[in-house]
Amino acid sequence: MTRTRTAALVAIAVAAATALAGCTGNAGGTAGGSTGGTSGGGQEITELKAGVFLDVTSWDPAVADIGFDGPYMSAVYDPLVALDNSGKPVPALATKWEWSADRLTLTADLRTGVTFEDGQKFDAAAAVANIEHLKKGVRSGQAYLNVSGATAKDEDTIEIKLTKRDDSLLYFMGLGRSWMASPAAISAGSLANGPVGSGPYTFDKANSAPQSQYVFTKKADHWDTATYPFPSVKLFPITDQTASFNAMLSGQLNMQFANAANLAKAKENGWNVASKPSSWVGVQFADRTGAQVKALGEQKVRQAISYAFDSAGILQAVGNGAGTATNQLWPVDGGVYDKSMDTKYKTDMAKAKSLLAEAGYADGFSVKMPMSPIFQAWQPAANQTFGELGIKVEWVDMAMPDYQKNAPTYPMFLAVIAMSGNDMATLSDQVTTAQWYNPNPSVDKFPEVKALVDEVEKADEGAAQTELLKKLNTKLVDLAWWSVWYQADNTYFSVKGIKVQPVTGMMFPTLRFIQRG
């Protein structure tokens, strides 16, 4: 089965492409006092005005995007499970939970006294109805692949049954897959028309307009009111990064999903800058066994490609330096990442050519690869590198939606892939389960990888599991499972008085991660 975050992945590529336009000009002056942390009278900011990049996908939590819909969802819905600043699951509507000894049953106690906006009561029956709805969801179902069902033990306790152990379940729930909606609205199928939740804000539909702005007013009696400091929130979907930056300069926004090319200007204006790894960029090998192109089944060929690319140069030239040059895709700020391994494929064209020759491909080989306008910024580097190796690429042009659908049918392709902030979710997303970008995980074809995966999945959570993941990471890098060039950061600008805490896995942080500061 597939765990997928398709809408978020398209958005990542779009964001990456728009970030390549370079620095924008000054839109008639600096932000100055108009967007500072306090007004001229020294008052605190009372309204969050955030440029959130994309319009809301859907008000139905089962259909909403796990990436850019976070601010919208978190305004109007409460989650069963939330994440803390480090991406670890923490209580929300579920106040505590406990795993059974075999880790196939999760028992959760629920918060009492919570009511949905239509008057429906949040209780165990409501939680079960939501989990069943989310499990069936076209997007939300990815969190519940190993969940067989949920039952109410009593009015404020539920049991979630699993078919197999899943150490990433709570993480995915906290990431944006446990928003609780009114059971009546779920039953009526009306959530597409507007949210019906119990969240910290009320949606002001009268003063909101699709593709323009969304307005929310804080509830005075919300159970978690301290987590949400702003009395009013306005979300502005602005895809054009130049327009978004100019809106920051003029004071229309006081926080935005930012273009790293504008970092110098942001610092000049005295804004807060926050960054976090969000996606990896490089070449994805959809064919590691040589089923389509025999050469790619050779470890030395994949290693040669990894040696050939100037990852640091590409990061600077195309990614504006916003990220970390690395050949690994476990987050660079996490426990599995090993900095010493980043020299494994230090750019060495002579070494790359030697490896190709040893594998029997001294003259290179031919391959077809897909291309979309969004990835054209990386194409010159790819052409030059493959050309020097003697790898003859026939590019097949297509639109971005077709790229996402068709790219994995090619033996390899240029990729910008979302990362996870949870180590076991990374294992699932990037290695073991089928994804649109990895339709043939092929773990079973590599006995050493399969053995390590089995050990990891059986290990106790914590240090023991992390050490095994490090071994697996080392093996995957050695096998050149991918040709990762760098981990790209998501960057956010905010005026003084607003502090953003990025979370790997969230393309845009939910409102609990946007605080005063």
Side-chain angles (χ1 to χ4, degrees):
M1 298 184 73
T2 300
R3 271 192 164 145
T4 178
R5 285 181 279 171
T6 53
L9 297 170
V10 172
I12 294 166
V14 173
T18 56
L20 304 176
C23 296
T24 62
N26 192 325
T30 64
S34 66
T35 58
T38 59
S39 67
Q43 296 176 338
E44 288 186 323
I45 292 174
T46 58
E47 184 172 68
L48 174 66
K49 299 178 290 185
V52 293
F53 194 74
L54 291 181
D55 198 32
V56 63
T57 304
S58 173
W59 291 113
D60 184 344
V63 182
D65 173 49
I66 204 170
F68 282 98
D69 280 345
Y72 302 100
M73 296 290 108
S74 62
V76 294
Y77 293 111
D78 288 320
L80 204 59
V81 178
L83 297 180
D84 66 12
N85 287 356
S86 63
K88 290 183 171 55
V90 293
L93 288 182
T95 58
K96 63 179 180 179
W97 50 78
E98 183 179 16
W99 286 104
S100 60
D102 61 6
R103 294 189 67 87
L104 295 180
T105 301
L106 180 67
T107 303
D109 291 346
L110 305 180
R111 190 173 300 278
T112 58
V114 176
T115 304
F116 296 105
E117 288 190 338
D118 62 356
Q120 290 267 302
K121 179 182 179 182
F122 172 74
D123 56 14
V128 168
N130 272 273
I131 291 171
E132 290 176 348
H133 178 61
L134 293 166
K135 179 173 167 55
K136 296 175 185 175
V138 63
R139 288 195 175 98
S140 60
Q142 61 92 24
Y144 299 93
L145 292 180
N146 299 312
V147 171
S148 59
T151 57
K153 285 188 66 178
D154 55 43
E155 192 173 354
D156 60 0
T157 310
I158 61 170
E159 278 189 351
I160 300 176
K161 295 287 188 179
L162 281 70
T163 56
K164 62 172 287 189
R165 175 177 165 178
D166 187 346
D167 290 346
S168 61
L169 172 62
L170 287 168
Y171 166 77
F172 279 115
M173 292 175 72
L175 192 63
R177 291 308 182 207
S178 67
W179 303 115
M180 297 286 103
S182 163
I186 292 174
S187 180
S190 61
L191 290 174
N193 301 323
V196 186
S198 62
Y201 292 88
T202 298
F203 177 42
D204 184 352
K205 190 172 184 178
N207 289 305
S208 302
Q211 304 293 336
S212 179
Q213 71 171 14
Y214 293 84
V215 180
F216 306 88
T217 304
K218 186 176 178 179
K219 297 175 183 175
D221 57 350
H222 187 259
W223 62 270
D224 195 21
T225 186
T227 300
Y228 303 92
F230 303 104
S232 175
V233 171
K234 288 183 179 177
L235 302 178
F236 298 88
I238 307 176
T239 301
D240 186 285
Q241 294 282 274
T242 300
S244 180
F245 185 68
N246 288 339
M248 277 286 291
L249 289 171
S250 68
Q252 180 187 350
L253 302 179
N254 51 26
M255 181 261 171
Q256 71 164 157
F257 180 84
N259 182 347
N262 292 319
L263 182 59
K265 180 64 70 173
K267 291 181 177 178
E268 180 183 315
N269 280 279
W271 297 341
N272 292 322
V273 178
S275 297
K276 192 87 168 176
S278 65
S279 53
W280 69 267
V281 181
V283 178
Q284 170 74 323
F285 297 120
D287 177 20
R288 302 182 187 94
T289 63
Q292 294 172 276
V293 174
K294 186 177 179 181
L296 293 179
E298 296 288 339
Q299 178 181 355
K300 289 182 178 180
V301 170
R302 299 192 303 273
Q303 288 178 327
I305 292 172
S306 295
Y307 274 112
F309 277 99
D310 178 9
S311 298
I314 297 171
L315 171 58
Q316 290 300 320
V318 183
N320 294 304
T324 304
T326 178
N327 49 43
Q328 302 165 68
L329 49 67
W330 266 271
V332 296
D333 57 354
V336 176
Y337 169 75
D338 182 353
K339 183 177 177 60
S340 68
M341 287 173 53
D342 284 340
T343 58
K344 167 75 175 178
Y345 296 114
K346 184 178 180 180
T347 307
D348 188 336
M349 185 58 73
K351 175 72 170 177
K353 290 180 178 180
S354 175
L355 283 168
L356 276 182
E358 290 174 23
Y361 296 93
D363 297 325
F365 56 92
S366 298
V367 63
K368 287 185 178 181
M369 294 180 65
M371 177 49 58
S372 164
I374 285 173
F375 289 92
Q376 285 175 355
W378 291 278
Q379 191 174 16
N383 277 331
Q384 179 180 341
T385 303
F386 287 135
E388 288 188 49
L389 287 174
I391 297 175
K392 295 166 279 295
V393 177
E394 178 185 340
W395 296 102
V396 181
D397 293 327
M398 58 189 67
M400 182 57 202
D402 293 327
Y403 190 95
Q404 181 164 317
K405 179 174 64 176
N406 295 319
T409 68
Y410 291 81
M412 63 181 185
F413 57 94
L414 302 186
V416 180
I417 305 296
M419 294 164 55
S420 295
N422 174 275
D423 291 338
M424 292 302 289
T426 297
L427 176 64
S428 173
D429 280 353
Q430 305 288 351
V431 184
T432 61
T433 61
Q435 310 283 356
W436 77 263
Y437 49 85
N438 186 29
N440 304 301
S442 61
V443 169
D444 290 342
K445 303 292 184 180
F446 296 82
E448 291 177 277
V449 174
K450 181 65 166 64
L452 281 169
V453 167
D454 289 344
E455 284 189 73
V456 169
E457 291 182 339
K458 294 174 183 176
D460 291 337
E461 284 188 291
Q465 195 172 62
T466 298
E467 285 304 310
L468 286 169
L469 282 168
K470 285 182 178 180
K471 290 182 181 180
L472 176 60
N473 183 33
T474 299
K475 172 56 64 176
L476 293 172
V477 170
D478 183 55
L479 288 169
W481 203 257
W482 326 263
S483 179
V484 177
W485 301 337
Y486 59 92
Q487 291 183 19
D489 292 341
N490 269 4
T491 301
Y492 309 91
F493 297 157
S494 60
V495 302
K496 295 299 182 184
I498 298 176
K499 184 177 181 180
V500 181
Q501 173 61 58
V503 178
T504 299
M506 292 183 182
M507 291 309 297
F508 199 102
T510 57
L511 294 183
R512 70 169 39 239
F513 297 108
I514 305 174
Q515 297 291 316
R516 296 194 189 280

